[in-house]
C-alpha cells in the first residue's frame, strides 16, 4: 500500500463540476497520468493525477474538504 | 446620517476593511464575519463585533447564506452589506435578507435578477434605448445556433446568460468551431453558474472596456459618477483601471453616461451599480452587462469625484435621498488602480499562497492603499489572490502615472510572489502611457515581449 499526498493547499474536489460524476470511486483502477481529483487554490483548479497505474483503495477526503500540503488524499495498491 | 444603526459586513479582505471604515465614519456600528482562516484578520479587529461563520473553504463560510443570516440575527443588525464577489450578486441571498426583515445594502432582488441574466439585461438595455452588441437570445441545439450565428456574424462570443466577471465566455471564429464549443460552454455555464443557458454576441475587435458608475435612490434619483477604462486585462480579468477614460470625446462621454443613467432608471435600480460597455475605435459604444454591486475599482471614481461610494450605499440603503445632483458631481484629475495579487507573473500567474513576511506600503500625495492584510498574515489558498489595491491620483495622466511608478518602487511584499513587478513594467510602458489600449492589448503585447 502507498499513498497520494497533496502538493498544494486548497479545497479538494472529487468531481470536475458540482453535477458531474466523480473522477474515481474507491476500488477504481487508474492509469498513470489519469486525473483523480482537483484542488482549488485561489479560484484556480489544479488537477491531481495518478503518478503510476494503481488501484485506489481508499479516498480519505470528501468534496469541499480543506487540504494542506503533504496531507494524504488517497491510499493506493498495485493493481 | 445614514438612517442605519448597525450593519453586518458579509465579506472579507480589503472590502470588509473598507466597509467597516465607512460605517464608522458614518456613525454606524459594523459587525464583521470570519471563517476559521480569518480569525485574527484586520477587519475582525476593526469591527465592533465579529461572528464566526464556519470553515475556511468559502462554500462553508462566506458563501453559506444560512450562516450569514444566522450571524445577522445573532448580532442584532438591521442591514447587511455584501461587498463584492461571494453572495453580492446572488438575488436569492438578497431576497432572504429582505424577507428576514433586514435591509440589503444593494439593489432590489428583482433588479439583480433582471441584470444577472445577461440575455434579459440585453433586452432591458434595448428597451431603454441603449445600444447593445449584435447578438442573440438563448440558443439551444447546434443547428439553431449556427443559423442564429449567421445573422449575428463571426467572429463571435458564446456567453453564459448567468455569467459575469469575465467568466463563461468562449470566442468562436466560424460555424465548425461553434458546433464544437457549444456543448462544453453549456456544461461549463451550468456548473459555474447553475444555469446552462448560453447566447451569442458578436466580438468587437480592438474595443476598449469602459464602464459607468451610477448611484440611484428609492426616490427616483439617478446620477452617474463618470466612467472608468478597464481595458488592461488578462484572461478577461482586470489588472489596472483608469478614470476617466482617456482620449474619449466629450460627446461620447455624455452619451455613454446618460445611457447608463437611462438603463438604471428603466430597471428601477437602487444603490450603487456599474454599467459596462465596449467602445470601438470609432467610439461607437455597446452595452455588455451591469454589475449590481460595488466594484473592486470603485476607489478611482472616488479619487476623481470626491464621492465616498460606500458611504452613499449606506445612505441609500437607509432610505435617504441622494444629496448629489448631477450638476454637482465634478470630475478632477486622473486616477489609476493597480491590483496587487499573490500571483507570479513569471510563472503564468500561478497563485502563491503563504505568509506575508514583510509589507512596506507606499505613501505620499495622491496615493491610497486599500488592503485587508498586515505583516504576518497568511495569504490563504481558499479565497481570491488580492493582496492590496494601489490607487494613484494626479492632476493629469502624466502625474498619475509618475506617482504610480514611485509608489510601486516603494511597495514591497515579502514571502509570496506578487504582481508588483508586472505593474512596474506596465506603468512604465510607453504604449500604455501614450493613451488608451484595447482589451486584448496586454496579452498581445506579452506574447510579443
Amino acid at each position: 500500500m502507498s499513498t497520494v499526498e497533496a502538493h498544494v493547499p486548497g479545497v479538494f474536489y472529487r468531481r470536475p463540476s458540482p453535477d458531474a460524476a466523480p473522477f474515481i470511486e474507491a476500488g477504481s483502477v487508474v492509469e498513470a497520468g489519469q486525473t483523480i481529483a482537483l484542488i482549488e487554490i485561489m479560484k484556480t483548479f489544479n488537477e491531481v493525477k495518478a503518478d503510476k497505474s494503481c488501484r485506489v483503495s481508499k479516498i480519505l477526503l470528501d468534496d469541499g474538504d480543506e487540504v494542506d500540503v503533504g496531507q494524504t488524499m488517497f491510499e493506493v495498491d498495485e493493481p | 446620517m445614514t438612517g442605519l444603526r448597525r450593519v453586518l459586513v458579509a465579506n472579507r479582505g480589503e472590502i470588509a476593511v473598507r466597509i467597516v471604515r465607512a460605517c464608522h465614519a458614518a456613525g454606524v456600528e459594523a459587525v464583521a464575519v470570519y471563517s476559521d482562516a480569518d480569525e485574527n484578520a484586520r477587519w475582525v479587529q476593526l469591527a465592533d463585533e465579529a461572528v464566526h461563520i464556519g470553515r475556511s473553504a468559502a462554500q462553508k463560510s462566506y458563501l453559506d447564506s444560512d450562516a450569514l443570516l444566522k450571524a445577522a440575527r445573532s448580532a442584532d443588525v438591521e442591514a447587511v452589506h455584501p461587498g463584492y464577489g461571494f453572495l453580492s450578486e446572488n438575488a436569492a441571498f438578497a431576497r432572504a435578507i429582505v424577507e428576514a426583515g433586514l435591509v440589503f445594502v444593494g439593489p432590489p432582488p428583482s433588479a439583480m435578477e433582471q441584470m444577472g441574466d445577461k440575455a434579459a439585461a440585453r433586452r432591458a438595455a434595448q428597451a431603454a434605448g441603449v445600444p447593445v452588441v449584435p447578438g442573440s437570445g438563448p440558443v439551444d441545439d447546434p443547428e439553431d445556433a449556427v443559423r442564429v450565428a449567421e445573422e449575428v456574424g463571426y467572429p463571435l462570443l458564446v456567453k453564459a446568460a448567468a455569467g459575469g466577471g469575465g467568466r463563461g465566455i468562449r470566442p468562436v471564429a466560424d460555424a465548425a468551431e461553434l458546433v464544437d464549443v457549444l456543448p462544453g460552454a453549456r456544461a461549463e455555464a451550468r456548473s459555474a453558474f447553475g444555469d446552462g443557458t448560453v447566447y451569442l454576441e458578436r466580438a468587437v475587435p480592438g474595443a476598449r472596456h469602459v464602464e459607468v458608475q451610477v448611484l440611484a435612490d428609492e426616490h427616483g434619483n439617478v446620477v452617474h459618477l463618470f466612467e472608468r477604462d478597464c481595458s488592461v486585462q488578462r484572461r478577461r480579468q482586470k489588472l489596472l483601471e483608469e478614470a476617466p477614460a482617456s482620449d474619449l470625446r466629450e460627446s461620447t462621454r455624455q452619451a455613454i453616461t446618460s445611457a447608463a443613467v437611462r438603463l438604471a432608471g428603466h430597471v428601477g435600480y437602487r444603490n450603487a451599480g456599474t454599467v459596462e460597455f465596449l467602445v470601438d475605435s470609432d467610439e461607437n459604444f455597446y452595452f455588455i452587462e451591469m454589475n449590481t454591486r460595488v466594484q473592486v475599482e470603485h476607489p478611482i471614481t472616488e479619487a476623481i469625484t470626491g464621492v465616498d461610494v460606500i458611504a452613499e450605499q449606506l445612505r441609500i440603503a437607509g432610505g435617504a435621498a441622494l444629496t448629489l445632483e448631477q450638476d454637482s458631481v465634478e470630475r478632477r484629475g486622473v486616477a489609476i488602480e493597480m491590483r496587487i495579487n499573490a500571483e507570479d507573473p513569471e510563472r503564468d500567474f500561478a497563485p502563491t499562497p503563504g505568509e506575508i513576511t514583510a509589507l512596506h506600503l507606499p505613501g505620499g500625495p495622491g496615493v491610497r492603499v486599500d488592503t485587508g492584510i498586515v505583516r504576518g498574515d497568511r495569504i490563504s489558498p481558499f479565497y481570491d489572490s488580492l493582496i492590496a489595491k494601489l490607487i494613484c491620483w494626479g492632476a493629469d495622466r502624466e502625474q498619475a502615472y509618475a506617482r504610480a511608478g514611485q509608489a510601486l518602487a516603494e511597495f514591497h511584499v515579502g514571502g509570496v510572489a506578487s504582481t508588483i513587478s508586472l505593474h512596474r513594467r506596465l506603468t512604465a510602458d510607453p504604449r500604455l502611457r501614450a493613451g488608451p489600449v484595447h482589451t486584448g492589448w496586454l496579452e498581445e503585447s506579452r506574447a510579443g515581449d
Side-chain angles (χ1 to χ4, degrees):
Chain A
M1 196 269 287
S2 59
T3 56
V4 179
E5 279 87 32
H7 295 298
V8 292
V11 182
F12 175 91
Y13 294 105
R14 288 189 57 201
R15 51 194 88 227
S17 65
D19 53 0
F23 291 108
I24 53 158
E25 298 288 355
S28 295
V29 174
V30 300
E31 300 298 319
Q34 186 176 334
T35 300
I36 55 175
L38 297 175
I39 297 178
E40 181 186 3
I41 170 172
M42 291 177 172
K43 294 187 168 182
T44 62
F45 289 85
N46 291 261
E47 293 181 335
V48 179
K49 293 178 187 288
D51 59 2
K52 59 185 176 191
S53 299
C54 58
R55 192 177 75 86
V56 179
S57 53
K58 220 177 209 179
I59 303 169
L60 301 171
L61 294 171
D62 284 329
D63 251 346
D65 278 357
E66 291 158 28
V67 61
D68 213 342
V69 176
Q71 188 174 343
T72 302
M73 301 180 288
F74 302 96
E75 289 178 4
V76 302
D77 297 314
E78 299 306 316
Chain B
M1 292 300 291
T2 65
L4 298 175
R5 178 186 54 84
R6 194 165 156 89
V7 172
L8 186 82
V9 183
N11 212 301
R12 67 177 303 282
E14 67 86 18
I15 195 63
V17 171
R18 170 79 184 88
I19 298 166
V20 170
R21 283 177 175 157
C23 284
H24 286 172
V28 177
E29 291 178 15
V31 179
V33 295
Y34 63 95
S35 68
D36 286 351
D38 289 334
E39 189 176 355
N40 300 311
R42 194 175 179 197
W43 65 94
V44 171
Q45 291 164 1
L46 285 174
D48 299 282
E49 189 185 330
V51 183
H52 179 250
I53 52 164
R55 303 283 305 278
S56 301
Q59 290 287 353
K60 296 178 178 176
S61 50
Y62 300 103
L63 284 168
D64 182 343
S65 56
D66 289 339
L68 290 163
L69 271 166
K70 204 171 140 205
R73 286 199 194 92
S74 75
D76 189 28
V77 298
E78 58 195 330
V80 176
H81 195 311
Y84 56 71
F86 296 128
L87 295 170
S88 61
E89 293 189 277
N90 184 314
F93 177 63
R95 189 158 274 130
I97 298 288
V98 173
E99 283 170 0
L102 302 170
V103 173
F104 181 73
V105 185
S110 57
M112 286 174 85
E113 270 160 0
Q114 191 175 10
M115 291 295 115
D117 180 322
K118 305 307 171 208
R122 282 172 56 86
R123 286 196 297 276
Q126 284 170 307
V130 175
V132 300
V133 184
S136 73
V139 291
D140 293 321
D141 63 285
E143 219 169 276
D144 176 40
V146 167
R147 187 179 50 74
V148 172
E150 290 304 323
E151 293 163 24
V152 172
Y154 294 98
L156 54 78
L157 304 170
V158 179
K159 291 182 132 185
R167 291 186 296 275
I169 300 173
R170 297 196 179 198
V172 162
D174 53 36
E177 202 176 349
L178 176 59
V179 171
D180 196 36
V181 150
L182 204 59
R186 291 169 60 92
E188 186 181 286
R190 198 159 42 243
S191 78
F193 310 109
D195 176 356
T197 309
V198 297
Y199 65 99
L200 310 180
E201 199 175 270
R202 190 187 297 164
V204 184
R208 300 164 71 181
H209 174 120
V210 176
E211 59 184 32
V212 179
Q213 175 74 59
V214 296
L215 292 172
D217 66 21
E218 66 186 48
H219 308 282
N221 303 305
V222 187
V223 299
H224 70 80
L225 302 180
F226 296 99
E227 80 287 353
R228 302 183 282 256
D229 185 322
C230 310
S231 303
V232 181
Q233 303 181 0
R234 178 186 163 271
R235 294 190 181 161
R236 302 183 190 279
Q237 301 294 311
K238 299 165 185 172
L239 277 175
L240 179 151
E241 303 99 3
E242 194 173 317
S246 67
D247 289 345
L248 202 62
R249 286 196 292 269
E250 200 49 41
S251 57
T252 307
R253 177 170 289 123
Q254 279 179 17
I256 203 169
T257 50
S258 66
V261 167
R262 210 158 58 236
L263 177 60
H266 179 80
V267 299
Y269 197 79
R270 193 168 70 226
N271 216 275
T274 300
V275 186
E276 299 194 335
F277 297 92
L278 290 178
V279 179
D280 72 16
S281 51
D282 295 326
E283 297 200 5
N284 299 305
F285 63 85
Y286 307 98
F287 167 77
I288 41 175
E289 62 177 277
M290 182 168 188
N291 292 145
T292 56
R293 53 172 164 82
V294 69
Q295 282 182 292
V296 177
E297 57 271 32
H298 75 275
I300 49 174
T301 293
E302 298 183 324
I304 62 161
T305 61
V307 175
D308 181 332
V309 172
I310 309 280
E312 292 299 324
Q313 284 195 291
L314 294 170
R315 279 179 42 80
I316 293 167
L322 283 174
T323 51
L324 302 166
E325 286 177 23
Q326 194 62 66
D327 291 346
S328 67
V329 182
E330 285 178 26
R331 184 166 57 89
R332 193 171 147 262
V334 172
I336 317 163
E337 176 178 290
M338 290 139 280
R339 300 190 189 195
I340 311 300
N341 295 325
E343 295 169 0
D344 188 348
E346 307 306 320
R347 292 192 303 126
D348 196 27
F349 294 84
T352 56
E355 186 183 335
I356 301 290
T357 54
L359 186 63
H360 301 292
L361 303 179
V367 176
R368 164 177 168 183
V369 181
D370 280 16
T371 182
I373 303 283
V374 294
R375 187 167 64 86
D377 280 355
R378 292 191 71 77
I379 300 291
S380 160
F382 303 112
Y383 315 112
D384 71 28
S385 60
L386 189 67
I387 298 173
K389 305 186 311 202
L390 171 61
I391 300 104
C392 296
W393 179 90
D396 53 26
R397 276 189 101 224
E398 194 181 333
Q399 188 180 41
Y401 273 86
R403 284 175 170 172
Q406 175 58 28
L408 288 161
E410 293 176 30
F411 210 137
H412 173 65
V413 175
V416 301
S418 82
T419 50
I420 291 174
S421 58
L422 170 75
H423 283 300
R424 285 182 187 140
R425 288 199 298 276
L426 270 178
T427 51
D429 193 312
R431 294 166 294 183
L432 184 59
R433 289 180 81 135
V437 296
H438 62 82
T439 56
W441 172 77
L442 180 59
E443 281 167 318
E444 285 172 20
S445 65
R446 279 178 68 83
D449 281 347

